[in-house]
Amino acid sequence: MNYQTVIGLEVHLQLKTKTKAFCGCAIDFGKAPNSGTCPVCLGFPGSLPVYNKEALNSAIKVALAFNCQIQEHTKFDRKNYFYPDLPKNYQISQFDLPLSRNGQLIIFDQDHQPKRIGITRIHLEEDAGKLIHEADSSLVDFNRTGIPLLEIVSEPDLNSPQEAFDYLSSLKSILEYLDVSDCDMEKGSLRCDANISLRPQGAKELGVKTELKNMNSFKGVKDALTFEVKRQTELLQSGQSWQQETRLWDAQKGLTVSMRSKEGAKDYRYFPDPDLAVFIIDAPMISRIKAGLPELPQEKMRRFMQEYALSEYDAKILTSSKKFADYAEECMKIFPDKDKKPIANWLIGPFTSVISNLADQAKQEYIQSKNLVELVELVEKKQIISNLTGKIVLEEMFATGNTARAIITEKNLAQISDTGSLEIIVQEVINENPKSVSDYSAGKTNALMFLVGQVMKKSAGKANPKVVTDLIKRRLS
């Protein structure tokens, strides 16, 4: 029997506010343990919470970006459960009147067709603290307690681990554009739980679901879901049954392990928080925040296609992150030619390649856009250096911060177009590769490319490939 995978995701996003959700404690990552707390976030008797308006504005901004319906009346509830890093023994969250409902996010399926993923709700809540386990003891740091969180809950519309990965990538990109969070998974600013079940193809009823936790990267989410698809398929095929449960992802062993049976809403005994009044989000407030929304990735992608005549593929990659898109646009604007394709090619190709090989800290510092444009001009327009040398120069630019011209001069990398010098190297290569010469004479065009490559290698990448190609053809004609 064939089974359909059904996945829903719950993303917890730490908002980038100056202070916590219900008190004035400053949010400062890296503080000494328990140095950023007060009676309110520690839940001391008699302390009263006051809601952070900055967090509310950010939450509405996110809800609007995902086309959610903003609830006019909304309130906070107490979600009751015991965690050792949650000193109040309840979490301030939202239950029956969340901030927003019924949104959507568009991803592209394996056939590159748009697919709508429903967003059930986006609501506000506070974070818990952090447990630190040592050899023979456990420590607790309450600094994170009370930091404002958004929970973004999707509909079970995802049907493969790859779709879940694409959903998370698109979601993160939009959140970065909104600038409401640093989205840093290593700091725990963006966390994800996944619900997954399998059902027979064509069935309407959902199967028994498993909730997956402890995934600290999008790759981890994809790997855990892939493992769970295999595990649940084998259970179904062998006729075994199981109960709804929460499982942990062990990235080192590459498997999920049972943590506990899954609680439902009734287990949390939600009730309205008596210290926080119901509040109203009126139309003028929504309009004001909506008017301030930035251009989002898909809008920017369409504009890049129209304004810079780029393909959908190029525009999609260039707008995948706000920082990369802003940098690309700076380059497009100062590149003198109307045809922006050379800049797009360099950004998507060599530039991305060099960045991917840098240390995490160095990845944050791009070279100046005018310097990249100068390099592309020297290669594409003025042909001062070859493509191959251009990539070497680009690496040096990232390492030293120098301009392309300075590096070319200092390292004597200018392209050799002088036929007198090149003819000597061409003759050497022809003499050393009689089989390739024979193949070319027999009509094998790849042999010509091989010979050109050998000349480029002998000239340390400085030979003008067009001049070399003409010289070899002339010699072998």
Side-chain angles (χ1 to χ4, degrees):
M1 180 180 290
N2 292 324
Y3 297 99
Q4 182 188 39
T5 301
V6 181
I7 298 168
L9 298 177
E10 296 175 12
V11 170
H12 289 88
L13 178 76
Q14 188 181 108
L15 294 175
K16 192 168 60 176
T17 55
K18 293 184 182 68
T19 57
K20 292 186 179 179
F22 301 105
C23 65
C25 287
I27 298 173
D28 188 6
F29 183 80
K31 266 185 173 178
N34 297 310
S35 63
T37 60
C38 74
V40 173
C41 58
L42 291 177
F44 283 11
S47 61
L48 292 174
V50 176
Y51 193 62
N52 182 336
K53 193 174 179 183
E54 185 189 0
L56 178 63
N57 287 345
S58 294
I60 295 173
K61 193 186 280 189
V62 173
L64 290 171
F66 291 105
N67 295 305
C68 290
Q69 297 166 8
I70 307 294
Q71 303 267 88
E72 185 179 0
H73 290 82
T74 184
K75 68 177 175 67
F76 288 104
D77 303 278
R78 292 185 177 183
K79 183 180 181 184
N80 292 277
Y81 58 83
F82 172 76
Y83 277 143
D85 54 355
L86 194 64
K88 293 196 293 280
N89 280 345
Y90 64 83
Q91 178 190 34
I92 300 177
S93 184
Q94 296 196 289
F95 181 52
D96 55 334
L97 291 177
L99 175 83
S100 64
R101 299 179 192 272
N102 302 327
Q104 66 174 25
L105 189 156
I106 305 298
I107 64 169
F108 293 87
D109 64 18
Q110 57 184 3
D111 300 320
H112 306 290
Q113 295 302 308
K115 178 175 179 178
R116 179 189 182 278
I117 308 300
I119 291 179
T120 313
R121 56 190 279 157
I122 297 178
H123 70 250
L124 286 153
E125 59 188 29
E126 62 176 342
D127 209 348
K130 183 180 178 184
L131 290 174
I132 302 157
H133 301 290
E134 296 187 343
D136 56 355
S137 61
S138 291
L139 306 173
V140 60
D141 179 3
F142 290 120
N143 280 352
R144 204 172 66 184
T145 306
I147 286 180
L149 288 183
L150 274 191
E151 182 167 335
I152 304 170
V153 183
S154 85
E155 291 286 308
D157 291 337
L158 299 157
N159 297 120
S160 70
Q162 182 61 47
E163 284 190 359
F165 182 90
D166 294 341
Y167 169 89
L168 289 171
S169 299
S170 296
L171 184 131
K172 185 182 177 207
S173 174
I174 292 170
L175 294 170
E176 286 175 340
Y177 272 72
L178 293 171
D179 195 27
V180 294
S181 171
D182 62 19
C183 297
D184 189 332
M185 295 192 82
E186 286 189 6
K187 291 181 188 173
S189 304
L190 194 154
R191 313 192 288 271
C192 176
D193 299 336
N195 292 301
I196 176 170
S197 64
L198 268 60
R199 64 185 172 191
Q201 283 286 357
K204 298 292 183 190
E205 189 177 349
L206 293 173
V208 179
K209 73 177 178 184
T210 294
E211 184 185 38
L212 298 176
K213 286 185 175 290
N214 201 33
M215 301 171 290
N216 59 6
S217 69
F218 292 170
K219 181 180 179 300
V221 174
K222 186 178 173 183
D223 290 345
L225 288 168
T226 301
F227 175 87
E228 201 59 21
V229 169
K230 183 173 181 293
R231 187 184 74 86
Q232 293 189 20
T233 300
E234 290 172 354
L235 287 172
L236 287 167
Q237 287 177 339
S238 62
Q240 297 184 56
S241 61
W242 69 95
Q243 291 185 329
Q244 182 176 317
E245 65 176 340
T246 299
R247 295 179 73 85
L248 292 174
W249 170 241
D250 186 328
Q252 287 192 329
K253 294 179 180 174
L255 50 80
T256 65
V257 293
S258 184
M259 177 186 178
R260 62 170 185 251
S261 61
K262 170 68 177 166
E263 296 93 343
K266 62 181 174 55
D267 299 311
Y268 294 123
R269 304 292 193 271
Y270 282 98
F271 67 86
D273 192 310
D275 294 334
L276 290 161
V278 174
F279 57 100
I280 294 172
I281 302 172
D282 59 23
M285 184 179 183
I286 295 172
S287 298
R288 177 176 56 78
I289 294 174
K290 195 169 191 175
L293 286 178
E295 184 182 40
L296 296 175
Q298 291 190 1
E299 294 169 46
K300 196 180 281 286
M301 182 186 82
R302 286 191 286 273
R303 184 170 63 77
F304 272 27
M305 291 168 66
Q306 187 176 29
E307 203 166 316
Y308 302 123
L310 298 177
S311 68
E312 182 177 338
Y313 173 81
D314 288 350
K316 187 176 178 184
I317 294 176
L318 292 176
T319 56
S320 58
S321 81
K322 184 174 186 303
K323 182 179 178 180
F324 194 38
D326 288 346
Y327 183 79
E329 184 138 46
E330 279 180 22
C331 294
M332 298 285 175
K333 284 183 175 172
I334 58 178
F335 189 63
D337 289 1
K338 281 183 70 176
D339 180 10
K340 308 297 184 186
K341 180 65 174 165
I343 281 289
N345 287 346
W346 271 83
L347 284 166
I348 293 169
F351 186 88
T352 302
S353 173
V354 171
I355 289 279
S356 67
N357 290 325
L358 295 177
D360 286 345
Q361 187 61 33
K363 285 182 202 298
Q364 307 304 317
E365 300 294 332
Y366 289 177
I367 57 173
Q368 290 186 45
S369 53
K370 66 179 183 182
N371 290 347
L372 179 70
V373 169
E374 180 193 57
L375 171 65
V376 177
E377 280 191 282
L378 291 173
V379 176
E380 304 284 341
K381 198 173 174 184
K382 299 179 182 175
Q383 298 187 344
I384 301 295
I385 51 175
S386 67
N387 258 299
L388 182 63
T389 307
K391 291 169 189 170
I392 296 167
V393 170
L394 182 61
E395 288 175 0
E396 193 69 14
M397 289 168 74
F398 268 96
T400 64
N402 290 338
T403 65
R405 282 189 187 279
I407 293 167
I408 292 166
T409 303
E410 180 192 351
K411 296 189 176 292
N412 188 27
L413 294 173
Q415 188 163 260
I416 303 170
S417 298
D418 171 49
T419 53
S421 307
L422 292 177
E423 276 181 344
I424 297 169
I425 304 176
V426 165
Q427 190 57 54
E428 286 176 8
V429 167
I430 288 173
N431 293 341
E432 293 166 2
N433 297 277
K435 183 169 186 316
S436 296
V437 171
S438 171
D439 288 345
Y440 176 68
S441 300
K444 295 181 180 177
T445 53
N446 283 346
L448 175 63
M449 299 310 297
F450 174 79
L451 294 169
V452 172
Q454 293 304 301
V455 175
M456 296 301 294
K457 191 174 175 183
K458 271 183 176 282
S459 67
K462 291 162 63 177
N464 183 323
K466 184 175 182 312
V467 174
V468 171
T469 305
D470 291 343
L471 284 174
I472 294 174
K473 281 182 178 177
R474 200 181 309 151
R475 286 289 178 101
L476 300 181
S477 62

